[in-house]
Amino acid sequence: MKLGTFFWILLAMQLQAQQVQWASKVVSYSSDLGGKQFGIKQILGKPNAFPQCESSPTAWMPKSALSGAQVLEVAFEKEQTVQQIAIFENLNSGCVKVISVAGSDNKYKEVWRWTTDWRNQPFKRNLKTDRSYYFNRKRRKVEPAPPVDGFPGIHRVLLVEPVANVKSVRIKFDFSILPGQKQIDAIGISDSNIPIEAEINSISNNLIESAPELLVNNCYSFTCTEDGNQLFFTRDLEGKQVVYSSNFTKLSEVSQVNVCSANLSYNYLQGGNGNLFLHGGATYSASQGETGWNLLEYKNGNFQNLGKLRIAAYSNYGETADATITSDGKIVILAVESDLTQGGSDLYLARRKDDGTYTYLENLGKQLNTAADELAPFLCADNKTLLFASNGFSGYGGMDIFVSKRLDDTFLNWSEPKNLGNLVNSDANEVGAAITAKNQLLVNKQTEDGSAIFRLKLKNSDFEDK
């Protein structure tokens, strides 16, 4: 066996054997903004603000960006030997001062401390910190921190000697070292010196047969017929939203769609599944029981209005929403922000009652919803595969498209969302997607001109290698 081959086999064995745990419980902390967004519980579990590293409500933010000493203590599901500790600092990294570990007996042992040469202080030399301002002004009122957001980093500590039976970790920060806001995304431990990384849970690129092909430029919300023959999209025309239609085989031929709208500022089609579509034709009005949606049926090239979509005790912090519907019309899935939110805009469902109205909103839970935003749901023809946009999971930047599978008939249990990969998602915002019966994946990407629809060919719409 060649030496190079042996090396890669050995490395693969090490990677497979590495035991990584993420913090599962917050034991104590010094400060917290409170609430679901930016709250202390956002540090639990694997990273979801990394590797895109933008300011995110899915990371913990202390009450004061320059509060000086902060202590955070987290526990892990089970004891293990630790050789590496990784702290994912989402904004302005470099504030970790002391790390200690303990077993089930809760007796902490210091394993790392940041030391610096007083003649060569790296942060004070390069940046004007709040602390230096404070002492230079002889203890006058502290100047607000400069609005510096950036400089993410993973603070990895490799221990000289592994420590056995570690159950919890205590970390002391000094947030006054650097200007700007601070966010901690996750804390992980490992029994190996192989660097702990933030991994994107994505589908295999082998499931996608073609690169993105531009279909329609300068458009907004879109949907399509299930057979993949007709595309509907919205464009802004002199301050009014107009719905257009085009055949996939003749995309250059575009015609205006005659759908009645009470407000041409909110004129768009969504959620095509079978012959049913949802038409956003008005703003949300709690006093009048308005969801802003009409239910349409598409037959013989024309839309028939089936009436308003009425949902019991419907609540929406915004004026509009995103929505999709099952082919039989029994379930509507919406993206709204309400009193039941996990953070920002969440995915909810409503069930059709015998009188044609729909039940109150039910949140689809933490498996799909995060402290950030989930938008643009699209339920595929199988009524099991759900596409949606989110910036609350690890991705490639901004909003990405994710896929999840329904696990039972309740419509409340879903598989862990998977990112559609870097052939679909980019460092821009992908804000919507749909799948046709011809295994065409349509993606709405934001561009310099607004947004555009791109098409990719899939091997299968199950998003699973076969």
Side-chain angles (χ1 to χ4, degrees):
M1 181 182 295
K2 294 181 180 180
L3 181 61
T5 304
F6 176 77
F7 169 78
W8 288 113
I9 293 176
L10 182 61
L11 179 60
M13 292 174 63
Q14 288 178 330
L15 287 171
Q16 187 176 9
Q18 183 184 24
Q19 181 181 359
V20 176
Q21 284 195 83
W22 302 102
S24 61
K25 178 183 178 181
V26 176
V27 179
S28 64
Y29 58 96
S30 297
S31 74
D32 182 29
L33 286 178
K36 295 177 181 178
Q37 294 188 316
F38 307 103
I40 189 65
K41 290 187 178 180
Q42 295 302 329
I43 66 167
L44 299 180
K46 62 185 181 181
N48 42 26
F50 270 76
Q52 60 267 45
C53 299
E54 297 176 341
S55 179
S56 173
T58 64
W60 167 59
M61 184 181 290
K63 184 172 291 187
S64 172
L66 297 172
S67 57
Q70 292 273 320
V71 180
L72 175 63
E73 185 179 337
V74 295
F76 298 83
E77 186 175 349
K78 57 184 178 181
E79 290 185 351
Q80 76 166 70
T81 297
V82 170
Q83 187 169 3
Q84 179 185 178
I85 301 167
I87 300 102
F88 289 73
E89 298 178 273
N90 195 37
L91 294 177
N92 302 306
S93 61
C95 296
V96 179
K97 295 289 289 185
V98 181
I99 300 177
S100 304
V101 299
S104 298
D105 57 5
N106 208 35
K107 294 180 179 179
Y108 277 92
K109 170 187 175 182
E110 183 177 308
V111 293
W112 182 88
R113 176 179 290 269
W114 179 52
T115 57
T116 184
D117 187 342
W118 65 270
R119 295 165 298 183
N120 186 28
Q121 297 185 37
F123 303 120
K124 192 170 183 179
R125 180 186 62 199
N126 296 321
L127 297 171
K128 176 185 176 183
T129 68
D130 188 75
R131 180 172 289 275
S132 64
Y133 178 93
Y134 183 88
F135 284 107
N136 288 341
R137 298 299 189 281
K138 296 183 179 179
R139 299 182 182 274
R140 294 179 184 175
K141 186 177 180 181
V142 178
E143 183 184 60
V148 179
D149 286 338
F151 308 112
I154 305 173
H155 186 102
R156 298 186 185 91
V157 171
L158 300 178
L159 306 182
V160 177
E161 295 291 338
V163 180
N165 303 320
V166 172
K167 177 68 174 178
S168 57
V169 172
R170 177 186 292 159
I171 303 169
K172 294 183 179 179
F173 299 92
D174 186 355
F175 290 134
S176 66
I177 294 174
L178 291 169
Q181 194 52 265
K182 313 298 188 306
Q183 289 185 354
I184 309 299
D185 185 15
I187 299 170
I189 56 176
S190 168
D191 60 353
S192 168
N193 58 8
I194 299 171
I196 299 175
E197 300 286 357
E199 297 181 352
I200 300 174
N201 181 25
S202 64
I203 66 168
S204 169
N205 280 340
N206 293 330
L207 296 174
I208 300 174
E209 293 186 350
S210 64
E213 170 196 2
L214 177 63
L215 292 186
V216 180
N217 212 342
N218 188 25
C219 63
Y220 299 93
S221 179
F222 81 98
T223 190
C224 58
T225 55
E226 183 184 347
D227 58 16
N229 292 328
Q230 207 72 14
L231 175 69
F232 303 103
F233 57 91
T234 299
R235 280 179 173 159
D236 186 84
L237 183 63
E238 297 179 350
K240 297 180 180 180
Q241 291 187 347
V242 179
V243 178
Y244 292 92
S245 173
S246 178
N247 191 285
F248 277 100
T249 59
K250 299 179 180 179
L251 288 169
S252 59
E253 299 180 8
V254 176
S255 59
Q256 187 170 331
V257 177
N258 183 24
V259 286
C260 297
S261 178
N263 188 334
L264 289 179
S265 296
Y266 304 97
N267 186 26
Y268 53 94
L269 291 172
Q270 281 190 342
N273 206 329
N275 295 321
L276 294 179
F277 290 81
L278 292 163
H279 174 230
T283 59
Y284 159 63
S285 173
S287 60
Q288 300 179 18
E290 288 278 3
T291 63
W293 292 102
N294 287 318
L295 186 61
L296 304 182
E297 185 176 18
Y298 186 68
K299 279 187 176 181
N300 302 319
N302 295 304
F303 286 101
Q304 178 184 354
N305 193 338
L306 302 181
K308 294 180 179 180
L309 179 68
R310 297 191 179 278
I311 299 175
Y314 181 74
S315 174
N316 184 4
Y317 290 172
E319 293 184 333
T320 61
D322 296 327
T324 186
I325 189 169
T326 56
S327 54
D328 58 10
K330 291 183 178 180
I331 300 289
V332 175
I333 296 177
L334 304 100
V336 299
E337 184 175 358
S338 78
D339 294 334
L340 303 176
T341 181
Q342 300 292 333
S345 174
D346 276 5
L347 301 179
Y348 298 80
L349 70 79
R351 307 174 193 272
R352 190 176 66 190
K353 298 187 290 187
D354 292 340
D355 62 1
T357 64
Y358 287 78
T359 60
Y360 58 86
L361 295 178
E362 298 175 69
N363 192 288
L364 292 191
K366 294 181 179 180
Q367 185 78 313
L368 298 185
N369 294 315
T370 69
D373 292 312
E374 281 66 51
L375 305 170
F378 180 85
L379 191 63
C380 298
D382 62 2
N383 286 340
K384 293 182 178 180
T385 305
L386 180 68
L387 302 178
F388 63 97
S390 175
N391 58 356
F393 300 96
S394 290
Y396 297 93
M399 304 292 296
D400 278 6
I401 304 298
F402 293 82
V403 60
S404 177
K405 291 283 189 176
R406 180 166 60 86
L407 300 178
D408 58 30
D409 292 336
T410 67
F411 275 83
L412 294 175
N413 294 316
W414 297 84
S415 65
E416 181 181 0
K418 286 190 175 183
N419 190 294
L420 291 196
N422 58 7
L423 294 181
V424 175
N425 296 310
S426 66
D427 57 0
N429 287 313
E430 284 71 35
V431 292
I435 293 179
T436 74
K438 299 178 180 179
N439 282 347
Q440 298 178 100
L441 173 64
L442 307 180
V443 180
N444 194 357
K445 293 175 175 280
Q446 287 189 347
T447 65
E448 294 181 357
D449 299 325
S451 65
I453 301 172
F454 292 81
R455 175 171 59 187
L456 300 92
K457 180 68 175 177
L458 299 173
K459 285 186 177 179
N460 63 74
S461 58
D462 291 335
F463 296 101
E464 296 178 1
D465 285 311
K466 294 182 177 180

